[in-house]
Amino acid sequence: QSALTQPRSVSGSPGQSVTISCTGTSSDIGGYNYVSWYQHHPGKAPKLLIYDVNQRPSGFPDRFSAFKSGNTASLTISGLQAEDEADYYCYSYAGSYAWVFGGGTKVTVL
Amino acid sequence: EVRLVESGGGWVQPGGSLRLSCAASGVTVTNTHMSWVRQAPGKGLEWVSVIYSGGSTYYADSVKGRFTISRDYSKNTLFLEMNSLRVEDTALYYCAGDRWSTNWYVYWGQGTPVTVSS
């Protein structure tokens, strides 16, 4: 159950797009279409952004999109806004009733 | 509106025990898949344990044999019994859940802190 690999940080100016990668293995990301993404503002409860690789919960802005290719999942934030500054985590089923998070990526809005 | 409120965290010496609670409202813990997720200081999120709505339970290797997840229908509360605590168990513990899947969490609490230190 090793953590999925995410960049420690990414940054962008307001209005720009940023993409966060999440790399695993064929035993987790590559083996199942069960990748989800969370936005976490420190001190608050994490929020579900994406489930089942690329599905958005109702009410969440379409500025957030995601996809998967092989063992890597990606989250793109388009039209970056100040309130998007937060930590972002990917999460995947890893087989045998185990789940694994990514190490987290801090998004900074310049 | 769904609300999850964790409690029971605190300071404990290595080898000690703690019991965390997660009181739910707006959702019934016995027909929701519920999990515990933790975040060590300066680290990322880590999945700890899950209890399916049907009652099956599973654990991360790092806590297997030491932690026990359970729930109480009458109290509508999720629990995490933690024994043989180690320094590396120090973290903010969140309860989380979803009615439909264990592969994502719509519902989250605010977390309760656990410090294991001598």
Side-chain angles (χ1 to χ4, degrees), chain A:
Chain A
Q1 295 171 4
S2 299
L4 306 172
T5 301
Q6 296 181 234
R8 292 288 296 265
S9 64
V10 298
S11 61
S13 300
Q16 287 187 329
S17 295
V18 295
T19 296
I20 302 167
S21 61
C22 171
T23 302
T25 69
S26 57
S27 297
D28 38 62
I29 291 178
Y32 309 94
N33 288 322
Y34 294 139
V35 180
S36 55
W37 289 88
Y38 300 85
Q39 179 191 63
H40 189 202
H41 289 101
K44 295 192 173 183
K47 280 186 184 176
L48 175 68
L49 284 175
I50 297 285
Y51 65 96
D52 282 357
V53 176
N54 57 13
Q55 301 300 300
R56 251 188 331 272
S58 58
F60 233 93
D62 59 6
R63 300 189 296 106
F64 295 89
S65 61
F67 72 97
K68 185 189 87 165
S69 178
N71 297 337
T72 299
S74 299
L75 173 74
T76 296
I77 309 173
S78 304
L80 203 59
Q81 299 180 3
E83 59 262 35
D84 297 334
E85 188 160 292
D87 298 320
Y88 291 81
Y89 293 90
C90 57
Y91 185 61
S92 176
Y93 181 57
S96 301
Y97 298 100
W99 289 262
V100 62
F101 279 98
T105 298
K106 181 175 178 57
V107 170
T108 302
V109 181
L110 302 172

Side-chain angles (χ1 to χ4, degrees), chain A residues 38 44-46 101, chain B residues 2-7 20-25 27 29 32-39 45-51 69-70 76-80 92-98 105-113:
Chain A
Y38 300 85
K44 295 192 173 183
F101 279 98
Chain B
V2 174
R3 194 157 180 248
L4 302 177
V5 179
E6 302 94 335
S7 61
L20 306 184
S21 299
C22 170
S25 57
V27 68
V29 296
T32 303
H33 307 304
M34 300 293 299
S35 291
W36 288 96
V37 173
R38 67 185 180 183
Q39 184 175 30
L45 300 174
E46 180 189 12
W47 172 75
V48 173
S49 180
V50 65
I51 183 165
I69 190 171
S70 63
N76 203 26
T77 298
L78 177 75
F79 300 103
L80 186 67
L92 185 64
Y93 283 74
Y94 295 96
C95 66
D98 191 272
Y105 308 117
V106 170
Y107 313 127
W108 288 82
Q110 297 284 344
T112 185

